[in-house]
Amino acid sequence: MKSIFITGGGGKIGFTLTNHFLKNNYLVIITTRDKKKFLSSKKNDLFKRQNLHIIEVDFLYKNAENIISTYLTDNKINIEHIIHNARSLDFLSIDKNGLINKENFMGEFFLDVVFPCQLNESIINLENSNLKNILFISSIYGIVAPSPTLYENFKMSSPINYGVCKAAQIHLTKELAVRLAPKIKVNCISFGGIKGRSSKEFIKKYSSLNPLGKMLEDHEVIEPIQFLISENLKSMTGHNLIIDGGWTTW
C-alpha cells in the first residue's frame, strides 16, 4: 500500500487531500493539534478506515518531530510522500496598527520553513526510510505581493509575514531539491485563491483580477499534487508549480 503523510490534515486543502488519498487506498497519515475536535468535525465514514492514522501533535512542542517519528516507528509505517500543508491562523493576527508582532512573524516562519526542514530530516533518518517525494503547499503570495484593490482594508486584511514566509518556503524547495537529490524529489505548489469562506463580494473582486475569471474549486488541488508524486514523473525536482488561473501572469 502506498503511503502519504499530510501535515495539517484537518485544514481546507488537507481535508480534501485526505479524502482523495483514502478513497484511492493509500495509507494516509495526518497531523492535527486536536484529534478529538478533528474527528467530531469531520462527519465522514472515510475517517473510520484502518488506513488512516491521525497523529495529535503541536509543531511548537520542543519534541514534536520526535513524537511523529516515534509514532511512525511504533506503527511500522514507512513514508513514501510528505505533503507539508500545516498552517496556523494564530500567526496571521494583525494588531490594531496593521502590524505583525515579532512572535507571530517568527511563528509563521517556523511553521512554513524551520519545522518542515526538521521533520524531513527526522523521517529521512528513520531506519529503512523509503521517502521519495517532499511537496510543499505554498501560495501565489510567495511569488507576487497581494493586490490592495482586493481588500476593503488592505493594511488590516493582508498579513505581510504570510507572503514573506511562503517565498522562503519556495526557496527551501530549491535548496532541498539539490541537497536530497537524486534519491528524493522536492517540489512545491503555489495555489491561487480557493473558494470557501470567502464572501460573494470577495469572490467577485478576485475573479475580476484573474485571467480565467474565477477562484479555484476545492477539487482542483488534487490533480497537481497527484501529478507531482506520480511514479511516472521522474525528472522534476526543485520546481514551483503555479495553479492560479493566471493570476501571476499580469
Side-chain angles (χ1 to χ4, degrees):
M1 182 180 287
K2 296 177 181 179
S3 59
I4 190 160
F5 182 24
I6 305 169
T7 68
K12 186 174 180 60
I13 293 177
F15 179 64
T16 299
L17 295 178
T18 300
N19 269 291
H20 168 73
F21 287 110
L22 284 174
K23 287 178 181 177
N24 285 274
N25 297 314
Y26 276 71
L27 179 66
V28 180
I29 305 93
I30 67 173
T31 64
T32 178
R33 287 186 290 177
D34 190 333
K35 182 177 179 179
K36 185 177 180 180
K37 181 179 179 181
F38 170 78
L39 289 173
S40 66
S41 66
K42 308 300 181 186
K43 308 299 184 183
N44 192 320
D45 288 340
L46 283 172
F47 288 88
K48 299 177 182 177
R49 290 193 177 187
Q50 291 184 341
N51 58 321
L52 173 64
H53 289 260
I54 302 173
I55 304 175
E56 184 177 73
V57 60
D58 189 327
F59 291 169
L60 297 182
Y61 293 163
K62 289 183 179 180
N63 62 336
E65 64 266 30
N66 292 330
I67 291 173
I68 294 170
S69 58
T70 298
Y71 184 97
L72 297 176
T73 300
D74 290 349
N75 289 276
K76 297 181 172 57
I77 297 172
N78 205 326
I79 299 296
E80 293 178 86
H81 314 290
I82 299 176
I83 300 179
H84 290 291
N85 174 64
R87 61 178 304 195
S88 173
L89 295 178
D90 297 341
F91 297 137
L92 302 180
S93 176
I94 302 173
D95 69 20
K96 63 181 181 181
N97 297 312
L99 302 174
I100 299 292
N101 65 39
K102 180 174 67 175
E103 289 74 20
N104 284 346
F105 218 126
M106 298 287 285
E108 182 71 7
F109 186 79
F110 178 82
L111 195 62
D112 283 351
V113 177
V114 179
F115 185 77
C117 202
Q118 293 174 334
L119 181 58
N120 291 337
E121 184 176 352
S122 178
I123 291 176
I124 289 169
N125 288 333
L126 291 176
E127 187 176 359
N128 300 318
S129 176
N130 188 37
L131 189 58
K132 299 176 181 177
N133 284 289
I134 296 171
L135 182 60
F136 290 92
I137 303 300
S138 190
S139 165
I140 54 172
Y141 285 171
I143 305 166
V144 295
S147 172
T149 60
L150 184 59
Y151 305 93
E152 289 186 12
N153 188 340
F154 176 63
K155 189 174 182 180
M156 299 300 297
S157 303
S158 183
I160 190 172
N161 58 337
Y162 178 76
V164 171
C165 293
K166 285 300 183 184
Q169 194 176 65
I170 292 169
H171 188 75
L172 176 62
T173 298
K174 299 173 184 179
E175 289 278 352
L176 292 178
V178 172
R179 297 169 190 272
L180 298 179
K183 183 180 178 181
I184 301 170
K185 295 184 301 174
V186 187
N187 289 293
C188 184
I189 296 184
S190 290
F191 287 116
I194 301 173
K195 273 185 181 179
R197 293 180 292 270
S198 304
S199 66
K200 290 183 179 180
E201 183 63 27
F202 183 90
I203 294 172
K204 183 179 179 180
K205 284 184 179 180
Y206 184 97
S207 300
S208 70
L209 297 171
N210 187 313
L212 291 186
K214 63 186 288 290
M215 295 186 78
L216 300 177
E217 304 285 349
D218 286 356
H219 66 86
E220 291 183 277
V221 308
I222 294 172
E223 288 300 327
I225 290 172
Q226 193 71 68
F227 167 69
L228 286 176
I229 67 170
S230 169
E231 293 182 0
N232 296 321
L233 187 67
K234 300 182 183 300
S235 300
M236 182 182 287
T237 194
H239 183 73
N240 180 35
L241 182 63
I242 303 171
I243 309 295
D244 67 349
W247 178 281
T248 55
T249 60
W250 60 11

